[in-house]
């Protein structure tokens, strides 16, 4: 299937106002059709040339501004409301493309409108943009289209994204203060080593005598900053580029994600976050009518942890052979016993979706409580760390001053 291209256009509205902009579409004719639908008479339409040479080499993967989960949550809620109110699909998509505040999402929605105008289904059109719309959204929309309950599927997607945004916000707010304190402590140490210690070093050199060991270590560390800082910046930049390109590969995730679950304190929090995400996504997929095997595959891909994704692949294989979900799930330590037992009860009673929703709500509360406890524990530790480091440096700088009289003699 041909991919969409970017086109710039100029046109005039019915009120006589000149406008210009950029749209993604398969052909210039589709650009003109979309502009006419918006009441704009196109005057010029030109394809945007592809990036070449230096401009292309500077377009590193991961350095462009994408569509946030919050933008998708708002879009899904508005989409569901308008579809439920009886608006046509094309009219709804056009309104969404016009009123969303996210420019990247606007460009994608314009392309989606063009695809739907050519006869594609909404799920097919969304599937053309996998970097914007996650698999769980595409498959739930497909299930809603097939079953004739697209508005309910979109509502489920909106609720899913809204809870995920709330979960991320809880974690982000809990970690903001520790990160700021740690960054300030690192900045203070670097400033003292680069600017303050050399002043004291010159003063000590004029006094003669041997410096105390802590002071000598501090001076040596300050002198090495001339080489350490540039090398450190280069290494950080190189690692950032490598990380952005490789962090989603199986080779990296298969080694790093299991270690994340085993970290002290943070590992337990990571497991609770992953279990909450798994339960919520699985419940919404089943509620939207997605087949269990397909739902397990998609839920594994969206779990955010390779260990859980790998476990769900094995669970899907066991379910394909006729086993219940809870049996193979219990064989993997990443799923707590409470989760597997509640899923087993839900399977026996025919209320699996309800049980999964309860598990998700429970672990959402657990994540909230764990982040509060983590913040309460980290704050005094960081303050003590900052006091020890900065205070230790100040003491090391003033140790020679206490023996200035003996140095002069």
């Amino acid at each position: 299937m041909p991919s969409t291209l970017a086109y710039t256009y100029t046109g005039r509205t019915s009120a006589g106002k000149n406008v210009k902009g950029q749209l993604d579409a398969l052909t210039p004719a589709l650009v003109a059709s979309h502009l006419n639908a918006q009441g704009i008479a196109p005057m010029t339409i030109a394809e945007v040339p592809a990036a070449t040479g230096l401009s292309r080499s500077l377009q590193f993967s991961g350095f462009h501004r994408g569509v946030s989960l919050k933008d998708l949550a708002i879009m899904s809620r508005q989409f569901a409301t308008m579809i439920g109110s009886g608006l046509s699909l094309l009219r709804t998509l056009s309104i969404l493309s016009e009123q969303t505040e996210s420019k990247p999402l606007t460009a994608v929605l314009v392309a989606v409108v063009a695809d739907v105008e050519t006869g594609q289904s909404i799920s097919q059109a969304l599937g053309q943009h996998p970097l914007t719309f996650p698999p769980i959204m595409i498959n739930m929309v497909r299930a809603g289209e097939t079953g004739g309950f697209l508005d309910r599927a979109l509502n489920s997607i909106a609720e899913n994204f809204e809870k995920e945004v709330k979960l991320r916000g809880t974690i982000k707010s809990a970690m903001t203060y520790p990160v700021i304190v740690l960054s300030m402590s690192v900045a203070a140490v670097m400033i003292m080593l680069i600017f303050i210690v050399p002043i004291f070093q010159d003063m000590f050199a004029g006094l003669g005598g041997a410096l105390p060991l802590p002071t000598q270590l501090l001076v040596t560390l300050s002198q090495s900053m001339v080489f350490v800082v540039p090398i450190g910046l280069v290494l950080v930049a190189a690692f950032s580029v490598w990380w952005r390109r490789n962090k989603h590969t199986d080779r990296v995730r298969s080694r790093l994600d299991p270690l994340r679950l085993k970290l002290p304190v943070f590992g337990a929090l990571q497991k609770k976050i992953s279990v909450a995400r798994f339960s919520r996504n699985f419940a919404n997929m089943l509620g939207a009518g997605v087949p269990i095997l397909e739902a397990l595959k998609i839920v594994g891909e969206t779990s955010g942890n390779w260990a859980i994704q790998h476990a769900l692949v094995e669970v899907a294989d066991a379910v394909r052979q006729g086993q219940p979900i809870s049996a193979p799930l219990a064989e993997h330590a990443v799923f707590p016993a409470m989760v597997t037992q509640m899923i087993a009860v839900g399977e026996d009673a025919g209320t699996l979706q309800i049980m999964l929703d309860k598990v998700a709500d429970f672990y959402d509360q657990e994540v909230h409580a764990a982040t509060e406890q983590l913040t309460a524990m980290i704050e005094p530790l960081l303050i003590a760390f900052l006091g020890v480091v900065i205070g230790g440096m100040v003491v090391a700088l003033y140790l020679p001053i206490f023996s200035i009289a003996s140095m002069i003699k």
Side-chain angles (χ1 to χ4, degrees), residues 227-243:
F227 308 101
V228 171
V229 172
I231 293 174
L233 292 176
V234 171
L235 290 177
V236 169
F239 177 77
S240 298
V241 173
W242 178 88
W243 177 251

Side-chain angles (χ1 to χ4, degrees), residues 4-5 34 48 141 302 313 348:
T4 58
L5 300 174
H34 179 73
V48 177
V141 167
T302 58
V313 169
D348 293 338

Side-chain angles (χ1 to χ4, degrees), residues 229-280:
V229 172
I231 293 174
L233 292 176
V234 171
L235 290 177
V236 169
F239 177 77
S240 298
V241 173
W242 178 88
W243 177 251
R244 288 177 182 271
R245 292 181 176 180
N246 295 276
K247 64 181 179 179
H248 295 303
T249 61
D250 288 340
R251 179 171 57 89
V252 173
R253 294 184 63 211
S254 62
R255 297 180 181 180
L256 189 60
D257 286 358
L259 292 178
R260 288 177 177 175
L261 299 179
K262 297 178 182 179
L263 290 174
V265 182
F266 292 97
L269 177 60
Q270 179 67 40
K271 181 179 290 188
K272 291 174 181 178
I273 293 171
S274 297
V275 171
R277 184 178 290 129
F278 153 75
S279 303
R280 185 185 310 110

Side-chain angles (χ1 to χ4, degrees), residues 332-380:
H332 299 276
V334 292
F335 298 102
M338 187 198 80
V339 175
T340 57
Q341 291 297 322
M342 290 187 69
I343 288 177
V345 172
E347 286 182 305
D348 293 338
T351 56
L352 181 57
Q353 181 187 353
I354 296 175
M355 286 298 181
L356 288 168
D357 280 327
K358 291 182 181 295
V359 170
D361 292 339
F362 172 79
Y363 277 97
D364 279 341
Q365 296 174 0
E366 284 287 297
V367 169
H368 183 72
T371 50
E372 289 185 345
Q373 294 174 1
L374 186 62
T375 304
M377 180 181 66
I378 287 180
E379 287 180 5

Side-chain angles (χ1 to χ4, degrees), residues 73-91:
I74 295 172
M75 187 210 79
S76 301
R77 179 64 66 191
Q78 294 172 340
F79 200 174
T81 300
M82 287 187 280
I83 289 294
S85 300
L87 287 177
S88 66
L89 185 58
L90 276 175
R91 181 58 179 161

Side-chain angles (χ1 to χ4, degrees), residues 20-39:
K20 62 180 180 179
Q22 180 173 316
L23 291 176
D24 291 341
L26 293 174
T27 63
L30 290 176
V31 176
S33 175
H34 179 73
L35 293 175
N36 288 325
Q38 293 183 325

Side-chain angles (χ1 to χ4, degrees), residues 47 97 99 106 140 232 261 268 275 292 301-302 314-315 352 357:
E47 181 182 339
S97 66
Q99 70 180 23
T106 298
M140 288 180 70
L261 299 179
V275 171
I292 287 182
E301 294 173 352
T302 58
E314 297 182 359
V315 170
L352 181 57
D357 280 327

